[in-house]
């Protein structure tokens, strides 16, 4: 890829972060999954990049892109943090179009010089290179959800295809999605409260939708941003894990067996 051969070692030294991909759509897909607010905070370490989006300190979404996913990943500092407009970043990543031409990939190199400098994107497709500079901002403090696995009472792994069908059947005119998990019936229940009345979908623990069911105590969680949450979850790939304490988590398999992970964390009232 030409982008990987355009910089020598001296030019790299001016950047505290350099990351390259031969297919930008892999990154774009992951970031779209957490794009429910305009701005995001980016954290980079030697392990990779984490992009965090929060809403009112009650909902947090994280996308993790491991360092091994990148064809090139160089970080000069122990950690690099900045805030960026996620909407603009996604627009730049799709500057050559969102529908790929068969046999053609859009390559990406991201460069960040440090505090106060813009994030520079070099995108190449078919020999044409576009340079985008996105202003970075002072990073805001994000919530640290320190969920210890030993304290998790309930955890359910769900098939995303069945979950998509479930959400499509619910009445989305209400403001709240209620998720009930119980060691006894109804086991796993999705409920909405809309203009046409209350809707409930129940799934037994041996349902084809349920991959794994571990429940010791009944919990009822309510998510207020139901319209966006359901719209996002309708796009979930692969298996979906639902943990009533820490939220939803799913993985997206990428090239050469490596994985990029997008994780939802929801803090909601819990009723015993």
């Amino acid at each position: 890829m030409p982008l990987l051969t355009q910089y020598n070692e001296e030019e790299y030294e001016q950047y505290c972060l350099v990351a390259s991909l031969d297919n930008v759509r892999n990154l774009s897909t992951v970031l779209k999954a957490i794009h429910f607010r305009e701005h995001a905070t980016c954290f980079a370490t030697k392990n990779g990049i984490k992009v965090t989006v929060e809403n009112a300190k009650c909902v947090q979404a994280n996308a993790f892109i491991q360092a091994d996913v990148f064809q090139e990943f160089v970080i000069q500092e122990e950690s690099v943090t900045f805030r960026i407009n996620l909407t603009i970043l996604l627009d730049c990543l799709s500057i050559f179009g969102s529908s790929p031409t068969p046999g053609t990939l859009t390559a990406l190199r991201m460069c960040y010089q440090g505090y106060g400098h813009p994030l520079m994107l070099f995108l190449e497709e078919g020999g044409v290179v576009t340079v985008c500079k996105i202003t970075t901002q002072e990073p805001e403090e994000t919530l640290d959800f320190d969920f210890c696995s030993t304290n998790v009472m309930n955890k359910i792994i769900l098939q995303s295809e069945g979950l998509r069908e479930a959400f499509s059947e619910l009445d989305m005119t209400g403001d709240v999605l209620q998720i009930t998990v119980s060691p006894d019936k109804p086991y796993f229940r999705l409920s909405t409260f809309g203009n046409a009345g209350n809707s409930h979908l129940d799934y037994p623990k041996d349902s084809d939708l349920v991959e794994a069911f571990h429940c010791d105590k009944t919990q009822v969680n309510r998510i207020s941003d139901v319209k966006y949450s359901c719209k996002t979850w309708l796009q979930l790939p692969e298996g979906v894990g639902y943990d009533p304490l820490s939220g939803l988590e799913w993985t997206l398999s990428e090239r050469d067996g490596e994985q990029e992970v997008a994780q939802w964390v929801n803090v909601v009232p819990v009723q015993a």
Side-chain angles (χ1 to χ4, degrees):
M1 182 178 67
L3 280 179
L4 293 179
T5 60
Q6 290 178 352
Y7 293 90
N8 56 40
E9 186 174 345
E10 292 182 358
E11 291 173 310
Y12 272 125
E13 292 179 356
Q14 66 178 307
Y15 299 113
C16 61
L17 175 66
V18 177
S20 298
L21 286 168
D22 59 11
N23 186 2
V24 70
R25 291 181 180 87
N26 293 340
L27 176 62
S28 181
T29 298
V30 175
L31 295 182
K32 285 178 180 178
I34 64 169
H35 182 215
F36 68 98
R37 285 295 179 266
E38 188 168 296
H39 290 86
T41 302
C42 300
F43 306 89
T45 67
K46 64 179 181 179
N47 297 319
I49 299 175
K50 180 177 78 169
V51 183
T52 299
V53 180
E54 283 189 348
N55 177 29
K57 300 298 182 182
C58 66
V59 177
Q60 183 184 95
N62 294 297
F64 303 88
I65 304 94
Q66 299 176 8
D68 291 343
V69 171
F70 296 94
Q71 280 69 51
E72 175 187 42
F73 190 82
V74 179
I75 185 168
Q76 305 287 358
E77 302 175 4
E78 184 175 346
S79 65
V80 175
T81 307
F82 56 89
R83 190 168 183 258
I84 197 167
N85 189 307
L86 184 56
T87 302
I88 294 176
L89 175 58
L90 285 169
D91 287 343
C92 291
L93 294 180
S94 60
I95 199 166
F96 285 105
S98 57
S99 299
T101 303
T104 302
L105 299 177
T106 301
L108 166 71
R109 170 181 271 118
M110 294 188 297
C111 300
Y112 180 60
Q113 200 167 343
Y115 181 82
H117 292 274
L119 177 68
M120 300 183 64
L121 306 178
F122 299 85
L123 297 116
E124 179 203 13
E125 183 176 304
V128 177
V129 178
T130 298
V131 181
C132 302
K133 296 182 180 180
I134 305 176
T135 301
T136 58
Q137 304 170 7
E138 181 81 24
E140 294 184 349
E141 184 178 356
T142 58
L143 294 176
D144 181 14
F145 293 97
D146 184 17
F147 295 113
C148 179
S149 60
T150 58
N151 296 328
V152 174
M153 293 181 294
N154 306 322
K155 188 167 185 177
I156 305 171
I157 306 298
L158 307 170
Q159 283 288 341
S160 59
E161 186 63 35
L163 194 62
R164 278 194 288 265
E165 294 178 2
F167 282 132
S168 66
E169 296 176 8
L170 291 171
D171 180 3
M172 299 303 174
T173 59
D175 296 327
V176 173
L177 169 67
Q178 181 172 289
I179 302 176
T180 303
V181 291
S182 173
D184 304 308
K185 290 184 178 180
Y187 298 111
F188 180 72
R189 168 177 286 181
L190 298 173
S191 304
T192 56
F193 311 93
N195 298 333
N198 301 338
S199 300
H200 303 286
L201 290 177
D202 295 344
Y203 295 89
K205 60 183 179 181
D206 57 355
S207 166
D208 292 339
L209 175 71
V210 180
E211 287 278 318
F213 187 92
H214 305 285
C215 181
D216 298 326
K217 183 180 179 181
T218 299
Q219 286 182 290
V220 181
N221 295 1
R222 292 192 173 190
I223 300 173
S224 59
D225 200 356
V226 59
K227 292 181 181 178
Y228 180 80
S229 297
C230 291
K231 179 182 177 182
T232 300
W233 296 339
L234 285 172
Q235 305 172 30
L236 297 184
E238 303 298 332
V240 176
Y242 174 66
D243 177 344
L245 178 64
S246 62
L248 284 163
E249 177 178 313
W250 65 94
T251 62
L252 295 88
S253 300
E254 290 299 337
R255 63 171 191 90
D256 299 330
E258 299 295 342
Q259 287 187 331
E260 296 171 347
V261 179
Q263 179 185 54
W264 274 83
V265 177
N266 300 287
V267 177
V268 290
V270 177
Q271 304 170 1

